[in-house]
Amino acid sequence: MLLQHLFGHGPASRADLARSTGLTRVTVSELVADLLAEGLVEELGAPQESRVGKPPTLVGLVADAKQVVAVDLSVDDQLAGAVLTLTGQVVARSARPLEGRRGDDAVAAVRDLAADLVGRSTRPVLGVGVATPGIVGRDGVVLDAPNLGWHGAALADVLQDALDLAVYVANDADTAVMGEYTFGGGAEGGLMLLRLSTGVGAGLVLGGNVLHGHRGAAGEIGHVVVDPDGDECACGRRGCLETYVAVPRLRRRMAEGDAGTALADAGHRLGAALAPVVGTLNLGEVVLSGPADLVAPLAEVAATVVRDRVMPVSAEGFVVRPTALGDDGVLVGATGLVLAGELGGLVTGRHAEQAAPGGSASTSKTR
Ligand SMILES: [Zn+2]
């Protein structure tokens, strides 16, 4: 609880920590002493604004005390991973081609990459986070990921046994939205993150929770039909949103006709599909990740369309923007996944820069 508070809100005095956690000052002092001994927190001196009496000493999270190993399986036929600090800064990277491996072979490849990354860490590893396409059960079993040939693959168990570390596995879109929420300066209100790549995936955070939905398929807006007479989609139907805004499809439309018109049309379809969701859930932000040259114009058109189609109260302050996390959104999100698991619950890192003196919460500046 103390670590979560320090991560989310930045340095605090022991008295502040007691007030905000409801623990007694004695308990807080004892816990802080333990955390100091473990090297997870450090004393930062007195806040500048205190003038009278003996100023309280601030305690802050040591961002570099531990590291997280993150693996991203969302890129076609590739394994990408990194070692990151607790504030989401990349310390080391590793990537290798999957070369068509599927099933148990693919699990073994992930295990080898994770082991390699653990070996590259320069601090004790807090845990391992894996972002995978497909449907993931709560116990880290990948129930269905057709591209990797996984149907009930016990990925978390295999990695846990091999590495002797806490392992968290989640859907890549859920992981990306968790990264945006934890490290991307996301809004307190509802947040939806849309990933535009070979397909379209989305994750939602509402009231501090990632939404999973009835069958774990929340966020499948890519296969909502926006034009019944449109092009055929990978899912077998016609005119899904994906046929307009998936990157290969959109690039083809731009190359075949007028690029500006194709982009504007795609942005319009996107806004039309988003409007009912924004109106229903009163989302504060829709964040787009994908190629920068596509994402910026799409965001602009979609935001205008959404605002035109919802009530003024829903449109007020509503934003569509590109992700703040660049291409590392999923890896950073996997770090958030481990933090959430190990610190208990989702954490927002809007004050993470305070928690990491001299550091930055955004990896986009360090790449
Ligand atoms: Zn479809």
Side-chain angles (χ1 to χ4, degrees):
M1 200 192 287
L2 292 184
L3 287 175
Q4 188 176 7
H5 186 86
L6 292 172
F7 184 85
H9 300 276
S13 69
R14 289 171 177 77
D16 289 338
L17 286 171
R19 258 193 302 279
S20 46
T21 59
L23 299 169
T24 67
R25 291 183 66 154
V26 175
T27 306
V28 167
S29 290
E30 285 172 7
L31 290 170
V32 167
D34 288 349
L35 293 171
L36 283 168
E38 284 181 53
L40 283 170
V41 303
E42 61 189 345
E43 291 192 321
L44 299 169
Q48 282 166 354
E49 65 265 28
S50 47
R51 298 193 188 102
V52 238
K54 183 174 174 286
T57 301
L58 291 185
V59 177
L61 190 71
V62 181
D64 209 20
K66 299 218 176 195
Q67 291 173 345
V68 168
V69 165
V71 178
D72 175 6
L73 308 179
S74 70
V75 184
D76 267 350
D77 205 40
Q78 199 190 320
L79 303 177
V83 179
L84 300 101
T85 66
L86 297 182
T87 48
Q89 284 181 286
V90 174
V91 176
R93 291 178 189 276
S94 183
R96 50 187 73 166
L98 195 52
E99 289 165 335
R101 275 184 283 250
R102 295 164 57 81
D104 289 346
D105 290 346
V107 172
V110 174
R111 184 197 61 207
D112 293 348
L113 178 75
D116 173 41
L117 287 164
V118 171
R120 289 172 189 236
S121 64
T122 53
R123 297 280 187 282
V125 175
L126 181 68
V128 179
V130 182
T132 175
I135 312 280
V136 182
R138 287 184 186 278
D139 43 1
V141 175
V142 184
L143 300 175
D144 192 27
N147 293 337
L148 292 158
W150 289 344
H151 306 280
L155 188 59
D157 280 353
V158 170
L159 295 182
Q160 225 147 355
D161 288 348
L163 304 170
D164 197 23
L165 288 165
V167 178
Y168 299 88
V169 179
N171 170 269
D172 54 348
D174 289 347
T175 309
V177 77
M178 195 180 282
E180 194 69 36
Y181 183 74
T182 310
F183 299 104
E188 287 295 338
L191 165 71
M192 180 174 189
L193 182 121
L194 247 93
R195 304 184 67 225
L196 309 181
S197 58
T198 49
V200 175
L204 287 126
V205 171
L206 209 58
N209 294 306
V210 175
L211 298 192
H212 298 287
H214 177 50
R215 299 272 184 206
E220 286 294 348
I221 195 171
H223 293 288
V224 169
V225 174
V226 295
D227 177 8
D229 302 320
D231 292 349
E232 197 169 313
C233 181
C235 73
R237 293 177 306 157
R238 285 193 170 276
C240 291
L241 180 63
E242 199 168 290
T243 65
Y244 286 92
V245 298
V247 173
R249 298 265 198 165
L250 179 52
R251 292 235 189 263
R252 200 179 316 140
R253 281 175 195 272
M254 290 167 69
E256 282 168 357
D258 177 63
T261 308
L263 256 177
D265 184 36
H268 201 273
R269 304 273 179 187
L270 177 60
L274 285 173
V277 182
V278 172
T280 305
L281 301 178
N282 189 202
L283 298 179
E285 277 189 322
V286 173
V287 177
L288 304 182
S289 84
D293 62 314
L294 301 181
V295 159
L298 284 176
E300 200 180 321
V301 176
T304 307
V305 172
V306 170
R307 285 193 203 105
D308 282 351
R309 292 186 176 210
V310 298
M311 281 177 69
V313 65
S314 311
E316 211 173 294
F318 171 75
V319 176
V320 182
R321 64 168 174 88
T323 173
L325 301 175
D327 295 336
D328 281 336
V330 174
L331 288 174
V332 172
T335 305
L337 182 68
V338 173
L339 284 169
E342 294 294 296
L343 303 187
L346 268 190
V347 284
T348 53
R350 65 190 62 252
H351 305 293
E353 282 178 55
Q354 291 168 266
S360 162
S362 170
T363 56
S364 57
K365 293 170 196 154
T366 60
R367 279 183 300 118

PDB file of all heavy atoms in Angstrom, residues 222-223 233-237 240 242, ligand 1:
ATOM      1  N   GLY A 222     -12.688  -3.187 -33.719  1.00  0.00           N
ATOM      2  CA  GLY A 222     -12.173  -3.370 -35.080  1.00  0.00           C
ATOM      3  C   GLY A 222     -13.093  -4.197 -35.951  1.00  0.00           C
ATOM      4  O   GLY A 222     -13.099  -4.061 -37.171  1.00  0.00           O
ATOM      5  N   HIS A 223     -13.872  -5.062 -35.338  1.00  0.00           N
ATOM      6  CA  HIS A 223     -14.775  -5.914 -36.129  1.00  0.00           C
ATOM      7  C   HIS A 223     -16.227  -5.507 -35.973  1.00  0.00           C
ATOM      8  O   HIS A 223     -17.131  -6.325 -36.096  1.00  0.00           O
ATOM      9  CB  HIS A 223     -14.542  -7.390 -35.796  1.00  0.00           C
ATOM     10  CG  HIS A 223     -13.197  -7.849 -36.256  1.00  0.00           C
ATOM     11  ND1 HIS A 223     -12.883  -8.045 -37.588  1.00  0.00           N
ATOM     12  CD2 HIS A 223     -12.050  -8.054 -35.564  1.00  0.00           C
ATOM     13  CE1 HIS A 223     -11.624  -8.391 -37.694  1.00  0.00           C
ATOM     14  NE2 HIS A 223     -11.079  -8.390 -36.478  1.00  0.00           N
ATOM     15  N   CYS A 233     -13.533  -8.603 -44.796  1.00  0.00           N
ATOM     16  CA  CYS A 233     -12.624  -8.513 -43.651  1.00  0.00           C
ATOM     17  C   CYS A 233     -12.046  -9.897 -43.344  1.00  0.00           C
ATOM     18  O   CYS A 233     -12.587 -10.914 -43.781  1.00  0.00           O
ATOM     19  CB  CYS A 233     -13.403  -7.986 -42.442  1.00  0.00           C
ATOM     20  SG  CYS A 233     -12.410  -7.785 -40.957  1.00  0.00           S
ATOM     21  N   ALA A 234     -10.946  -9.920 -42.580  1.00  0.00           N
ATOM     22  CA  ALA A 234     -10.315 -11.184 -42.194  1.00  0.00           C
ATOM     23  C   ALA A 234     -11.290 -12.073 -41.427  1.00  0.00           C
ATOM     24  O   ALA A 234     -11.162 -13.301 -41.420  1.00  0.00           O
ATOM     25  CB  ALA A 234      -9.075 -10.909 -41.351  1.00  0.00           C
ATOM     26  N   CYS A 235     -12.275 -11.480 -40.768  1.00  0.00           N
ATOM     27  CA  CYS A 235     -13.236 -12.242 -39.968  1.00  0.00           C
ATOM     28  C   CYS A 235     -14.328 -12.866 -40.824  1.00  0.00           C
ATOM     29  O   CYS A 235     -15.173 -13.599 -40.322  1.00  0.00           O
ATOM     30  CB  CYS A 235     -13.855 -11.370 -38.884  1.00  0.00           C
ATOM     31  SG  CYS A 235     -15.047 -10.172 -39.511  1.00  0.00           S
ATOM     32  N   GLY A 236     -14.330 -12.554 -42.127  1.00  0.00           N
ATOM     33  CA  GLY A 236     -15.293 -13.176 -43.021  1.00  0.00           C
ATOM     34  C   GLY A 236     -16.489 -12.294 -43.347  1.00  0.00           C
ATOM     35  O   GLY A 236     -17.264 -12.612 -44.252  1.00  0.00           O
ATOM     36  N   ARG A 237     -16.663 -11.203 -42.609  1.00  0.00           N
ATOM     37  CA  ARG A 237     -17.783 -10.320 -42.922  1.00  0.00           C
ATOM     38  C   ARG A 237     -17.296  -9.141 -43.766  1.00  0.00           C
ATOM     39  O   ARG A 237     -16.141  -9.075 -44.140  1.00  0.00           O
ATOM     40  CB  ARG A 237     -18.448  -9.865 -41.625  1.00  0.00           C
ATOM     41  CG  ARG A 237     -19.131 -11.057 -40.922  1.00  0.00           C
ATOM     42  CD  ARG A 237     -19.731 -10.669 -39.607  1.00  0.00           C
ATOM     43  NE  ARG A 237     -18.729 -10.032 -38.792  1.00  0.00           N
ATOM     44  CZ  ARG A 237     -19.014  -9.199 -37.802  1.00  0.00           C
ATOM     45  NH1 ARG A 237     -20.266  -8.904 -37.521  1.00  0.00           N
ATOM     46  NH2 ARG A 237     -18.045  -8.684 -37.077  1.00  0.00           N
ATOM     47  N   CYS A 240     -15.984  -4.168 -41.883  1.00  0.00           N
ATOM     48  CA  CYS A 240     -15.597  -3.898 -40.489  1.00  0.00           C
ATOM     49  C   CYS A 240     -14.740  -2.628 -40.442  1.00  0.00           C
ATOM     50  O   CYS A 240     -14.079  -2.276 -41.423  1.00  0.00           O
ATOM     51  CB  CYS A 240     -14.768  -5.052 -39.934  1.00  0.00           C
ATOM     52  SG  CYS A 240     -15.679  -6.567 -39.693  1.00  0.00           S
ATOM     53  N   GLU A 242     -11.979  -2.298 -39.206  1.00  0.00           N
ATOM     54  CA  GLU A 242     -10.623  -2.713 -39.544  1.00  0.00           C
ATOM     55  C   GLU A 242     -10.311  -2.566 -41.042  1.00  0.00           C
ATOM     56  O   GLU A 242      -9.173  -2.270 -41.411  1.00  0.00           O
ATOM     57  CB  GLU A 242     -10.439  -4.175 -39.105  1.00  0.00           C
ATOM     58  CG  GLU A 242      -8.999  -4.585 -38.966  1.00  0.00           C
ATOM     59  CD  GLU A 242      -8.851  -5.923 -38.251  1.00  0.00           C
ATOM     60  OE1 GLU A 242      -9.121  -5.980 -37.030  1.00  0.00           O
ATOM     61  OE2 GLU A 242      -8.468  -6.899 -38.905  1.00  0.00           O
TER      62      GLU A 242
HETATM   63 ZN    ZN B   1     -14.058  -8.103 -39.317  1.00  0.00          ZN
END
